[in-house]
Amino acid sequence: MLNDILLKAYKLMCLARHMAITYEENRQICKYVHSTSRGHEAIQLATAFHLLPHDYVSPYYRDESLLLGLGYSPYDLMLQLLAKKDDPFTGGRAYYSHPSSKAADKPRIIQQSSATGMQVIPTTGIAQGIQYLERISSSLLQKGEQGELPVVVCSLGDASITEGEVSEAFQFAVLKKLPIIYLVQDNRWGISVTAEEARAMDAYSYAGGFPGLSRIRINGQDFSECYQRMQETVDFVRQTRSPILVQADVPLLGHHTSGVRKEFYRTEEELAKQAERDPGPILRQQLLDAGIDEDTLMTIEDTASAEVLNDFNRAVAAPEPDVSSVADHVFAPTPVTEEKGTREPAGAEKLLMVDAALFALKEIMEDHPEAVLYGQDVGRRLGGVFREAATLADKFGDHRVFNTAIQEAYIIGSTAGMSAVGIKPIVEVQFADYIYPGLNQLVSEISKSCYLSNGKFPVQTLIRVPIGAYGGGGPYHSGSVETTLLSIKGIKLVYPSNAADMKGLMKAAFYDPNPVLMLEHKGLYWSKLPGTERAKRPEPSRDYIIPLGKADVVQSAAAEHINGGSSCCIVTYGMGVYWSLQASASFVGQVEVIDLRTLYPLDEELVFNAVKKHGKCMVITEEQQTNSFAQALAYRISRNCFQWLDAPVEVIGSLDLPAVPMNILLEKAMLPTIQSITSGIRDLLNN
């Protein structure tokens, strides 16, 4: 049996070697940047051989041998190498060895980016999700034929250990005792940077600073040792349900990538020394020592060479992607396409926006045991710094509503892994100003997952973000960030301005299979500010829901003013709705106010029709005006409604300051005022 495993490993090593040779000999054909696994084959194959179809693994960009070990053919991998239509992972959209797979006979592989170390948080999120499914005995939890519980493997290079987000993942994994293996392949190079230049310690030593993270070192050039130690490691995690770090010492025999070549920065002496550690010849000698004859090994080598050549020729001849598919799979289809339920039930009492959010979450969690809520201070003691999650932990338990550390990257990025196992995560970033540490995960992993996985892994997550300025909140607690977020493609953005919309949009955001960020203005939560009383609304029915991308006319203009050319429309959202309503009180019947409610997708149809009807338009935002979403919207209106406009589209926003100042008078001076909006409306109507 052992010889069979060794022979299987040797065959796959031969495939990997001939694949690298073939790519090098056909550099003009293999034009897309790629890395190969040369030198890393032993640890990758040993890991793959111990994984079961219900497990999860996240390879990194050098893990082609791991994929071969899982059962993918050279042809499968070459289709991705050449970015062909039938690339089974991404349909020609992502680099070589960037897989995503739901194949029933192999471990699942979620989409992850090329960004170094960024896969560690989403993959730890998978383990977090599996642990939760175990906790609630969910039917979503997949087990092996013998009842084996799943394990998660996160593969990464040694240079990525210095990334701060890796630390966040390790911290969470040991705190929660998650069933994950961090496989660090240490070749002591970070492109051209040596370990001595870049790191104070190796991964094994670093792991020692995380109590509860078991750790082992492996000789990664020896397949027999790798196979035995990885068997012990996988069994350990299956049984103990706790994390472990494996550091495998491996040589790097190939180029960093096809574009960053080894001869650029490595000496012939160093390369020759590394070649002595090639796992292939070492395994070959072990097979000879075990009694396998030379002819058998030569046959394996010749067969591998022929298979690689045949598969390569087939891949070269395979069709290119259909360019008409380039925009497919940006989002998964949402089931919420129309407004349903009762917005204002008879006898319903008005409630605050903050309570509308709380009640919506309560109903969601009652109906969906796979829904969880986590973030900073949302747990039992406080229930959110704005009390927006109050009582939820008491009702649903600390395993469903819980606090995290100050880890915006982990809070956001872990939802990709949670979503992949069927969890429906709702997370919170405490203030909009603090979302920036999480942007790497939002941009690199979450927003691209559906598109780059060819629709296999949309990330279903609702990310709540309290936002906006009021009453001296000061810098870092009062900023508006919608333009930054709207520059990210592959996410949706909602911004409710009243309690009914809060509940209806939150339900729609939860059921949407894509990442949705809900911006919730802190100044509207309790309707304490003058003019915001209308944010309180009767509580809609339990089944009330509003599809994303549908704006609302919160105030109409009178027909006589529309027909007489003395009307205008204001397009706005959030606090801008209430500023607009107050300012328009001086122009009775002349101003239509549109609340966008959803910033992406945008209800262009309603907006453009309103502009065509009135001929005059103003866009109002709380954000700093220059280079803002509001200015971009003004251009879109001008571009699409030019022939109906009687005046340029006006934009009113905050002053172009880098932060909201603390002093209340200074804050007021920065933000749009009722007076400035009133003056703007007057000028627009008189234009």
Side-chain angles (χ1 to χ4, degrees), residues 339 493 546-553 571-572 594-611 629 633 636-637 641:
E339 187 170 356
L493 203 67
I546 304 170
L548 305 188
K550 296 296 182 182
D552 184 36
V553 178
V571 180
T572 187
I594 297 170
D595 181 359
L596 290 175
R597 301 199 293 195
T598 303
L599 306 188
Y600 193 90
L602 186 72
D603 192 346
E604 289 188 335
E605 181 180 5
L606 188 150
V607 171
F608 293 166
N609 285 340
V611 174
F629 159 68
L633 177 56
R636 289 160 73 178
I637 293 171
C641 304

PDB file of all heavy atoms in Angstrom, residues 339 493 546-553 571-572 594-611 629 633 636-637 641:
ATOM      1  N   GLU A 339     -41.746  44.939  -4.307  1.00  0.00           N
ATOM      2  CA  GLU A 339     -42.149  45.284  -2.943  1.00  0.00           C
ATOM      3  C   GLU A 339     -43.323  44.403  -2.534  1.00  0.00           C
ATOM      4  O   GLU A 339     -44.288  44.238  -3.279  1.00  0.00           O
ATOM      5  CB  GLU A 339     -42.533  46.758  -2.875  1.00  0.00           C
ATOM      6  CG  GLU A 339     -42.810  47.256  -1.461  1.00  0.00           C
ATOM      7  CD  GLU A 339     -42.958  48.772  -1.407  1.00  0.00           C
ATOM      8  OE1 GLU A 339     -42.771  49.428  -2.455  1.00  0.00           O
ATOM      9  OE2 GLU A 339     -43.258  49.293  -0.315  1.00  0.00           O
ATOM     10  N   LEU A 493     -25.064  48.720  -2.227  1.00  0.00           N
ATOM     11  CA  LEU A 493     -25.021  49.714  -1.163  1.00  0.00           C
ATOM     12  C   LEU A 493     -26.408  50.298  -0.944  1.00  0.00           C
ATOM     13  O   LEU A 493     -26.993  50.867  -1.868  1.00  0.00           O
ATOM     14  CB  LEU A 493     -24.043  50.830  -1.545  1.00  0.00           C
ATOM     15  CG  LEU A 493     -23.447  51.653  -0.408  1.00  0.00           C
ATOM     16  CD1 LEU A 493     -22.533  50.787   0.443  1.00  0.00           C
ATOM     17  CD2 LEU A 493     -22.658  52.826  -0.959  1.00  0.00           C
ATOM     18  N   ILE A 546     -38.506  45.503   0.505  1.00  0.00           N
ATOM     19  CA  ILE A 546     -38.337  46.456  -0.589  1.00  0.00           C
ATOM     20  C   ILE A 546     -37.181  45.978  -1.454  1.00  0.00           C
ATOM     21  O   ILE A 546     -36.072  45.792  -0.944  1.00  0.00           O
ATOM     22  CB  ILE A 546     -37.996  47.868  -0.060  1.00  0.00           C
ATOM     23  CG1 ILE A 546     -39.050  48.372   0.919  1.00  0.00           C
ATOM     24  CG2 ILE A 546     -37.833  48.844  -1.223  1.00  0.00           C
ATOM     25  CD1 ILE A 546     -38.634  49.647   1.638  1.00  0.00           C
ATOM     26  N   PRO A 547     -37.387  45.776  -2.739  1.00  0.00           N
ATOM     27  CA  PRO A 547     -36.256  45.363  -3.586  1.00  0.00           C
ATOM     28  C   PRO A 547     -35.195  46.451  -3.645  1.00  0.00           C
ATOM     29  O   PRO A 547     -35.505  47.645  -3.638  1.00  0.00           O
ATOM     30  CB  PRO A 547     -36.903  45.123  -4.947  1.00  0.00           C
ATOM     31  CG  PRO A 547     -38.161  45.918  -4.927  1.00  0.00           C
ATOM     32  CD  PRO A 547     -38.632  45.927  -3.494  1.00  0.00           C
ATOM     33  N   LEU A 548     -33.950  46.034  -3.690  1.00  0.00           N
ATOM     34  CA  LEU A 548     -32.870  47.000  -3.823  1.00  0.00           C
ATOM     35  C   LEU A 548     -32.937  47.640  -5.202  1.00  0.00           C
ATOM     36  O   LEU A 548     -33.301  47.002  -6.191  1.00  0.00           O
ATOM     37  CB  LEU A 548     -31.517  46.316  -3.628  1.00  0.00           C
ATOM     38  CG  LEU A 548     -31.319  45.536  -2.327  1.00  0.00           C
ATOM     39  CD1 LEU A 548     -29.866  45.087  -2.201  1.00  0.00           C
ATOM     40  CD2 LEU A 548     -31.732  46.347  -1.111  1.00  0.00           C
ATOM     41  N   GLY A 549     -32.587  48.921  -5.253  1.00  0.00           N
ATOM     42  CA  GLY A 549     -32.581  49.620  -6.535  1.00  0.00           C
ATOM     43  C   GLY A 549     -33.875  50.328  -6.862  1.00  0.00           C
ATOM     44  O   GLY A 549     -34.088  50.699  -8.022  1.00  0.00           O
ATOM     45  N   LYS A 550     -34.737  50.528  -5.862  1.00  0.00           N
ATOM     46  CA  LYS A 550     -36.004  51.228  -6.083  1.00  0.00           C
ATOM     47  C   LYS A 550     -36.047  52.484  -5.212  1.00  0.00           C
ATOM     48  O   LYS A 550     -36.134  52.400  -3.990  1.00  0.00           O
ATOM     49  CB  LYS A 550     -37.193  50.324  -5.751  1.00  0.00           C
ATOM     50  CG  LYS A 550     -37.313  49.103  -6.653  1.00  0.00           C
ATOM     51  CD  LYS A 550     -37.573  49.496  -8.110  1.00  0.00           C
ATOM     52  CE  LYS A 550     -37.745  48.271  -8.988  1.00  0.00           C
ATOM     53  NZ  LYS A 550     -37.949  48.636 -10.404  1.00  0.00           N
ATOM     54  N   ALA A 551     -35.965  53.640  -5.858  1.00  0.00           N
ATOM     55  CA  ALA A 551     -36.030  54.908  -5.135  1.00  0.00           C
ATOM     56  C   ALA A 551     -37.476  55.210  -4.745  1.00  0.00           C
ATOM     57  O   ALA A 551     -38.416  54.520  -5.156  1.00  0.00           O
ATOM     58  CB  ALA A 551     -35.462  56.025  -5.996  1.00  0.00           C
ATOM     59  N   ASP A 552     -37.654  56.262  -3.951  1.00  0.00           N
ATOM     60  CA  ASP A 552     -38.986  56.627  -3.461  1.00  0.00           C
ATOM     61  C   ASP A 552     -39.171  58.135  -3.600  1.00  0.00           C
ATOM     62  O   ASP A 552     -38.251  58.916  -3.313  1.00  0.00           O
ATOM     63  CB  ASP A 552     -39.120  56.210  -1.990  1.00  0.00           C
ATOM     64  CG  ASP A 552     -40.502  56.466  -1.438  1.00  0.00           C
ATOM     65  OD1 ASP A 552     -41.480  56.297  -2.202  1.00  0.00           O
ATOM     66  OD2 ASP A 552     -40.620  56.819  -0.250  1.00  0.00           O
ATOM     67  N   VAL A 553     -40.355  58.535  -4.035  1.00  0.00           N
ATOM     68  CA  VAL A 553     -40.695  59.959  -4.069  1.00  0.00           C
ATOM     69  C   VAL A 553     -41.310  60.307  -2.728  1.00  0.00           C
ATOM     70  O   VAL A 553     -42.433  59.910  -2.420  1.00  0.00           O
ATOM     71  CB  VAL A 553     -41.675  60.271  -5.210  1.00  0.00           C
ATOM     72  CG1 VAL A 553     -42.047  61.757  -5.190  1.00  0.00           C
ATOM     73  CG2 VAL A 553     -41.073  59.889  -6.552  1.00  0.00           C
ATOM     74  N   VAL A 571     -32.614  65.146  -5.764  1.00  0.00           N
ATOM     75  CA  VAL A 571     -32.237  63.739  -5.638  1.00  0.00           C
ATOM     76  C   VAL A 571     -31.259  63.635  -4.477  1.00  0.00           C
ATOM     77  O   VAL A 571     -30.209  64.291  -4.477  1.00  0.00           O
ATOM     78  CB  VAL A 571     -31.596  63.214  -6.937  1.00  0.00           C
ATOM     79  CG1 VAL A 571     -31.213  61.742  -6.781  1.00  0.00           C
ATOM     80  CG2 VAL A 571     -32.538  63.411  -8.118  1.00  0.00           C
ATOM     81  N   THR A 572     -31.590  62.803  -3.489  1.00  0.00           N
ATOM     82  CA  THR A 572     -30.762  62.769  -2.287  1.00  0.00           C
ATOM     83  C   THR A 572     -30.950  61.444  -1.564  1.00  0.00           C
ATOM     84  O   THR A 572     -31.591  60.518  -2.080  1.00  0.00           O
ATOM     85  CB  THR A 572     -31.097  63.970  -1.376  1.00  0.00           C
ATOM     86  OG1 THR A 572     -30.172  64.005  -0.283  1.00  0.00           O
ATOM     87  CG2 THR A 572     -32.520  63.902  -0.860  1.00  0.00           C
ATOM     88  N   ILE A 594     -36.710  63.173  -4.056  1.00  0.00           N
ATOM     89  CA  ILE A 594     -36.514  61.745  -4.315  1.00  0.00           C
ATOM     90  C   ILE A 594     -35.483  61.196  -3.341  1.00  0.00           C
ATOM     91  O   ILE A 594     -34.364  61.715  -3.245  1.00  0.00           O
ATOM     92  CB  ILE A 594     -36.040  61.518  -5.764  1.00  0.00           C
ATOM     93  CG1 ILE A 594     -37.106  61.984  -6.749  1.00  0.00           C
ATOM     94  CG2 ILE A 594     -35.677  60.050  -6.001  1.00  0.00           C
ATOM     95  CD1 ILE A 594     -36.621  62.028  -8.182  1.00  0.00           C
ATOM     96  N   ASP A 595     -35.857  60.150  -2.631  1.00  0.00           N
ATOM     97  CA  ASP A 595     -34.944  59.435  -1.738  1.00  0.00           C
ATOM     98  C   ASP A 595     -34.436  58.203  -2.490  1.00  0.00           C
ATOM     99  O   ASP A 595     -35.203  57.287  -2.790  1.00  0.00           O
ATOM    100  CB  ASP A 595     -35.692  59.024  -0.467  1.00  0.00           C
ATOM    101  CG  ASP A 595     -34.804  58.289   0.532  1.00  0.00           C
ATOM    102  OD1 ASP A 595     -33.605  58.077   0.236  1.00  0.00           O
ATOM    103  OD2 ASP A 595     -35.310  57.908   1.605  1.00  0.00           O
ATOM    104  N   LEU A 596     -33.150  58.162  -2.783  1.00  0.00           N
ATOM    105  CA  LEU A 596     -32.604  57.062  -3.575  1.00  0.00           C
ATOM    106  C   LEU A 596     -32.750  55.714  -2.874  1.00  0.00           C
ATOM    107  O   LEU A 596     -32.936  54.685  -3.502  1.00  0.00           O
ATOM    108  CB  LEU A 596     -31.129  57.326  -3.894  1.00  0.00           C
ATOM    109  CG  LEU A 596     -30.856  58.463  -4.874  1.00  0.00           C
ATOM    110  CD1 LEU A 596     -29.361  58.690  -5.006  1.00  0.00           C
ATOM    111  CD2 LEU A 596     -31.466  58.169  -6.232  1.00  0.00           C
ATOM    112  N   ARG A 597     -32.591  55.681  -1.561  1.00  0.00           N
ATOM    113  CA  ARG A 597     -32.694  54.476  -0.731  1.00  0.00           C
ATOM    114  C   ARG A 597     -31.597  53.456  -1.028  1.00  0.00           C
ATOM    115  O   ARG A 597     -31.020  52.867  -0.109  1.00  0.00           O
ATOM    116  CB  ARG A 597     -34.065  53.816  -0.855  1.00  0.00           C
ATOM    117  CG  ARG A 597     -35.222  54.707  -0.472  1.00  0.00           C
ATOM    118  CD  ARG A 597     -36.480  53.932  -0.171  1.00  0.00           C
ATOM    119  NE  ARG A 597     -37.040  53.258  -1.331  1.00  0.00           N
ATOM    120  CZ  ARG A 597     -38.281  52.768  -1.374  1.00  0.00           C
ATOM    121  NH1 ARG A 597     -39.074  52.879  -0.314  1.00  0.00           N
ATOM    122  NH2 ARG A 597     -38.744  52.175  -2.461  1.00  0.00           N
ATOM    123  N   THR A 598     -31.325  53.215  -2.296  1.00  0.00           N
ATOM    124  CA  THR A 598     -30.239  52.320  -2.693  1.00  0.00           C
ATOM    125  C   THR A 598     -29.309  53.084  -3.628  1.00  0.00           C
ATOM    126  O   THR A 598     -29.761  53.620  -4.642  1.00  0.00           O
ATOM    127  CB  THR A 598     -30.769  51.071  -3.425  1.00  0.00           C
ATOM    128  OG1 THR A 598     -31.707  50.396  -2.601  1.00  0.00           O
ATOM    129  CG2 THR A 598     -29.634  50.119  -3.756  1.00  0.00           C
ATOM    130  N   LEU A 599     -28.027  53.135  -3.261  1.00  0.00           N
ATOM    131  CA  LEU A 599     -27.070  53.870  -4.090  1.00  0.00           C
ATOM    132  C   LEU A 599     -26.497  52.992  -5.194  1.00  0.00           C
ATOM    133  O   LEU A 599     -26.100  53.484  -6.243  1.00  0.00           O
ATOM    134  CB  LEU A 599     -25.943  54.431  -3.214  1.00  0.00           C
ATOM    135  CG  LEU A 599     -26.395  55.291  -2.022  1.00  0.00           C
ATOM    136  CD1 LEU A 599     -25.199  55.947  -1.347  1.00  0.00           C
ATOM    137  CD2 LEU A 599     -27.411  56.333  -2.446  1.00  0.00           C
ATOM    138  N   TYR A 600     -26.433  51.696  -4.952  1.00  0.00           N
ATOM    139  CA  TYR A 600     -26.115  50.737  -6.009  1.00  0.00           C
ATOM    140  C   TYR A 600     -26.784  49.418  -5.681  1.00  0.00           C
ATOM    141  O   TYR A 600     -26.553  48.878  -4.609  1.00  0.00           O
ATOM    142  CB  TYR A 600     -24.606  50.514  -6.170  1.00  0.00           C
ATOM    143  CG  TYR A 600     -24.330  49.778  -7.472  1.00  0.00           C
ATOM    144  CD1 TYR A 600     -24.115  50.491  -8.638  1.00  0.00           C
ATOM    145  CD2 TYR A 600     -24.345  48.385  -7.527  1.00  0.00           C
ATOM    146  CE1 TYR A 600     -23.914  49.816  -9.843  1.00  0.00           C
ATOM    147  CE2 TYR A 600     -24.153  47.726  -8.729  1.00  0.00           C
ATOM    148  CZ  TYR A 600     -23.932  48.434  -9.874  1.00  0.00           C
ATOM    149  OH  TYR A 600     -23.753  47.790 -11.067  1.00  0.00           O
ATOM    150  N   PRO A 601     -27.651  48.923  -6.563  1.00  0.00           N
ATOM    151  CA  PRO A 601     -28.030  49.487  -7.865  1.00  0.00           C
ATOM    152  C   PRO A 601     -28.867  50.757  -7.720  1.00  0.00           C
ATOM    153  O   PRO A 601     -29.583  50.914  -6.729  1.00  0.00           O
ATOM    154  CB  PRO A 601     -28.833  48.362  -8.500  1.00  0.00           C
ATOM    155  CG  PRO A 601     -29.379  47.578  -7.350  1.00  0.00           C
ATOM    156  CD  PRO A 601     -28.342  47.642  -6.288  1.00  0.00           C
ATOM    157  N   LEU A 602     -28.769  51.610  -8.691  1.00  0.00           N
ATOM    158  CA  LEU A 602     -29.422  52.917  -8.654  1.00  0.00           C
ATOM    159  C   LEU A 602     -30.685  52.900  -9.515  1.00  0.00           C
ATOM    160  O   LEU A 602     -30.686  52.338 -10.608  1.00  0.00           O
ATOM    161  CB  LEU A 602     -28.456  53.982  -9.177  1.00  0.00           C
ATOM    162  CG  LEU A 602     -28.901  55.434  -9.075  1.00  0.00           C
ATOM    163  CD1 LEU A 602     -28.880  55.901  -7.634  1.00  0.00           C
ATOM    164  CD2 LEU A 602     -27.983  56.318  -9.930  1.00  0.00           C
ATOM    165  N   ASP A 603     -31.724  53.532  -9.004  1.00  0.00           N
ATOM    166  CA  ASP A 603     -32.983  53.613  -9.739  1.00  0.00           C
ATOM    167  C   ASP A 603     -32.899  54.750 -10.751  1.00  0.00           C
ATOM    168  O   ASP A 603     -33.489  55.826 -10.583  1.00  0.00           O
ATOM    169  CB  ASP A 603     -34.138  53.832  -8.761  1.00  0.00           C
ATOM    170  CG  ASP A 603     -35.504  53.638  -9.407  1.00  0.00           C
ATOM    171  OD1 ASP A 603     -35.570  53.590 -10.652  1.00  0.00           O
ATOM    172  OD2 ASP A 603     -36.497  53.543  -8.666  1.00  0.00           O
ATOM    173  N   GLU A 604     -32.168  54.505 -11.816  1.00  0.00           N
ATOM    174  CA  GLU A 604     -31.991  55.541 -12.840  1.00  0.00           C
ATOM    175  C   GLU A 604     -33.318  55.903 -13.508  1.00  0.00           C
ATOM    176  O   GLU A 604     -33.548  57.058 -13.849  1.00  0.00           O
ATOM    177  CB  GLU A 604     -30.993  55.078 -13.895  1.00  0.00           C
ATOM    178  CG  GLU A 604     -29.559  55.025 -13.416  1.00  0.00           C
ATOM    179  CD  GLU A 604     -28.601  54.740 -14.556  1.00  0.00           C
ATOM    180  OE1 GLU A 604     -29.042  54.136 -15.559  1.00  0.00           O
ATOM    181  OE2 GLU A 604     -27.425  55.113 -14.447  1.00  0.00           O
ATOM    182  N   GLU A 605     -34.165  54.921 -13.689  1.00  0.00           N
ATOM    183  CA  GLU A 605     -35.422  55.172 -14.385  1.00  0.00           C
ATOM    184  C   GLU A 605     -36.245  56.225 -13.662  1.00  0.00           C
ATOM    185  O   GLU A 605     -36.731  57.188 -14.277  1.00  0.00           O
ATOM    186  CB  GLU A 605     -36.220  53.872 -14.515  1.00  0.00           C
ATOM    187  CG  GLU A 605     -37.541  54.048 -15.256  1.00  0.00           C
ATOM    188  CD  GLU A 605     -38.325  52.753 -15.385  1.00  0.00           C
ATOM    189  OE1 GLU A 605     -37.881  51.728 -14.820  1.00  0.00           O
ATOM    190  OE2 GLU A 605     -39.390  52.766 -16.028  1.00  0.00           O
ATOM    191  N   LEU A 606     -36.407  56.066 -12.353  1.00  0.00           N
ATOM    192  CA  LEU A 606     -37.196  57.041 -11.603  1.00  0.00           C
ATOM    193  C   LEU A 606     -36.523  58.410 -11.615  1.00  0.00           C
ATOM    194  O   LEU A 606     -37.178  59.445 -11.811  1.00  0.00           O
ATOM    195  CB  LEU A 606     -37.407  56.550 -10.172  1.00  0.00           C
ATOM    196  CG  LEU A 606     -38.371  57.373  -9.297  1.00  0.00           C
ATOM    197  CD1 LEU A 606     -39.059  56.482  -8.271  1.00  0.00           C
ATOM    198  CD2 LEU A 606     -37.658  58.509  -8.574  1.00  0.00           C
ATOM    199  N   VAL A 607     -35.215  58.427 -11.412  1.00  0.00           N
ATOM    200  CA  VAL A 607     -34.494  59.699 -11.365  1.00  0.00           C
ATOM    201  C   VAL A 607     -34.591  60.414 -12.704  1.00  0.00           C
ATOM    202  O   VAL A 607     -34.930  61.614 -12.776  1.00  0.00           O
ATOM    203  CB  VAL A 607     -33.020  59.466 -10.973  1.00  0.00           C
ATOM    204  CG1 VAL A 607     -32.210  60.753 -11.143  1.00  0.00           C
ATOM    205  CG2 VAL A 607     -32.919  58.982  -9.531  1.00  0.00           C
ATOM    206  N   PHE A 608     -34.304  59.718 -13.791  1.00  0.00           N
ATOM    207  CA  PHE A 608     -34.302  60.362 -15.099  1.00  0.00           C
ATOM    208  C   PHE A 608     -35.698  60.842 -15.489  1.00  0.00           C
ATOM    209  O   PHE A 608     -35.863  61.931 -16.060  1.00  0.00           O
ATOM    210  CB  PHE A 608     -33.768  59.406 -16.163  1.00  0.00           C
ATOM    211  CG  PHE A 608     -32.307  59.059 -16.007  1.00  0.00           C
ATOM    212  CD1 PHE A 608     -31.754  57.991 -16.705  1.00  0.00           C
ATOM    213  CD2 PHE A 608     -31.476  59.783 -15.161  1.00  0.00           C
ATOM    214  CE1 PHE A 608     -30.416  57.666 -16.572  1.00  0.00           C
ATOM    215  CE2 PHE A 608     -30.137  59.464 -15.012  1.00  0.00           C
ATOM    216  CZ  PHE A 608     -29.612  58.395 -15.722  1.00  0.00           C
ATOM    217  N   ASN A 609     -36.708  60.055 -15.169  1.00  0.00           N
ATOM    218  CA  ASN A 609     -38.074  60.484 -15.475  1.00  0.00           C
ATOM    219  C   ASN A 609     -38.443  61.743 -14.703  1.00  0.00           C
ATOM    220  O   ASN A 609     -39.127  62.637 -15.230  1.00  0.00           O
ATOM    221  CB  ASN A 609     -39.066  59.369 -15.158  1.00  0.00           C
ATOM    222  CG  ASN A 609     -39.025  58.256 -16.194  1.00  0.00           C
ATOM    223  OD1 ASN A 609     -38.554  58.453 -17.310  1.00  0.00           O
ATOM    224  ND2 ASN A 609     -39.504  57.084 -15.830  1.00  0.00           N
ATOM    225  N   ALA A 610     -38.003  61.825 -13.448  1.00  0.00           N
ATOM    226  CA  ALA A 610     -38.291  63.020 -12.655  1.00  0.00           C
ATOM    227  C   ALA A 610     -37.600  64.243 -13.246  1.00  0.00           C
ATOM    228  O   ALA A 610     -38.186  65.333 -13.341  1.00  0.00           O
ATOM    229  CB  ALA A 610     -37.852  62.801 -11.213  1.00  0.00           C
ATOM    230  N   VAL A 611     -36.353  64.076 -13.646  1.00  0.00           N
ATOM    231  CA  VAL A 611     -35.608  65.195 -14.214  1.00  0.00           C
ATOM    232  C   VAL A 611     -36.258  65.651 -15.526  1.00  0.00           C
ATOM    233  O   VAL A 611     -36.399  66.852 -15.793  1.00  0.00           O
ATOM    234  CB  VAL A 611     -34.139  64.798 -14.438  1.00  0.00           C
ATOM    235  CG1 VAL A 611     -33.391  65.920 -15.173  1.00  0.00           C
ATOM    236  CG2 VAL A 611     -33.461  64.500 -13.102  1.00  0.00           C
ATOM    237  N   PHE A 629     -19.753  60.781  -5.275  1.00  0.00           N
ATOM    238  CA  PHE A 629     -20.847  60.068  -5.933  1.00  0.00           C
ATOM    239  C   PHE A 629     -21.888  61.059  -6.441  1.00  0.00           C
ATOM    240  O   PHE A 629     -22.439  60.899  -7.537  1.00  0.00           O
ATOM    241  CB  PHE A 629     -21.479  59.092  -4.938  1.00  0.00           C
ATOM    242  CG  PHE A 629     -22.873  58.664  -5.294  1.00  0.00           C
ATOM    243  CD1 PHE A 629     -23.117  57.866  -6.397  1.00  0.00           C
ATOM    244  CD2 PHE A 629     -23.959  59.071  -4.516  1.00  0.00           C
ATOM    245  CE1 PHE A 629     -24.418  57.466  -6.727  1.00  0.00           C
ATOM    246  CE2 PHE A 629     -25.257  58.678  -4.835  1.00  0.00           C
ATOM    247  CZ  PHE A 629     -25.484  57.878  -5.952  1.00  0.00           C
ATOM    248  N   LEU A 633     -23.258  61.363 -10.160  1.00  0.00           N
ATOM    249  CA  LEU A 633     -24.678  61.233 -10.465  1.00  0.00           C
ATOM    250  C   LEU A 633     -25.166  62.432 -11.271  1.00  0.00           C
ATOM    251  O   LEU A 633     -25.963  62.286 -12.214  1.00  0.00           O
ATOM    252  CB  LEU A 633     -25.477  61.087  -9.176  1.00  0.00           C
ATOM    253  CG  LEU A 633     -27.001  61.007  -9.322  1.00  0.00           C
ATOM    254  CD1 LEU A 633     -27.406  59.875 -10.256  1.00  0.00           C
ATOM    255  CD2 LEU A 633     -27.650  60.841  -7.950  1.00  0.00           C
ATOM    256  N   ARG A 636     -24.297  61.809 -14.774  1.00  0.00           N
ATOM    257  CA  ARG A 636     -25.169  60.811 -15.403  1.00  0.00           C
ATOM    258  C   ARG A 636     -26.524  61.423 -15.765  1.00  0.00           C
ATOM    259  O   ARG A 636     -27.097  61.131 -16.819  1.00  0.00           O
ATOM    260  CB  ARG A 636     -25.344  59.617 -14.469  1.00  0.00           C
ATOM    261  CG  ARG A 636     -24.088  58.793 -14.340  1.00  0.00           C
ATOM    262  CD  ARG A 636     -24.085  57.926 -13.105  1.00  0.00           C
ATOM    263  NE  ARG A 636     -24.986  56.789 -13.204  1.00  0.00           N
ATOM    264  CZ  ARG A 636     -25.107  55.872 -12.243  1.00  0.00           C
ATOM    265  NH1 ARG A 636     -24.398  55.974 -11.130  1.00  0.00           N
ATOM    266  NH2 ARG A 636     -25.932  54.863 -12.404  1.00  0.00           N
ATOM    267  N   ILE A 637     -27.017  62.268 -14.881  1.00  0.00           N
ATOM    268  CA  ILE A 637     -28.285  62.949 -15.168  1.00  0.00           C
ATOM    269  C   ILE A 637     -28.122  63.875 -16.371  1.00  0.00           C
ATOM    270  O   ILE A 637     -28.958  63.878 -17.294  1.00  0.00           O
ATOM    271  CB  ILE A 637     -28.757  63.728 -13.922  1.00  0.00           C
ATOM    272  CG1 ILE A 637     -29.133  62.752 -12.794  1.00  0.00           C
ATOM    273  CG2 ILE A 637     -29.931  64.639 -14.275  1.00  0.00           C
ATOM    274  CD1 ILE A 637     -29.391  63.426 -11.466  1.00  0.00           C
ATOM    275  N   CYS A 641     -30.212  63.207 -19.677  1.00  0.00           N
ATOM    276  CA  CYS A 641     -31.401  64.074 -19.708  1.00  0.00           C
ATOM    277  C   CYS A 641     -31.093  65.438 -20.317  1.00  0.00           C
ATOM    278  O   CYS A 641     -31.844  66.405 -20.095  1.00  0.00           O
ATOM    279  CB  CYS A 641     -31.942  64.261 -18.287  1.00  0.00           C
ATOM    280  SG  CYS A 641     -32.320  62.718 -17.426  1.00  0.00           S
TER     281      CYS A 641
END
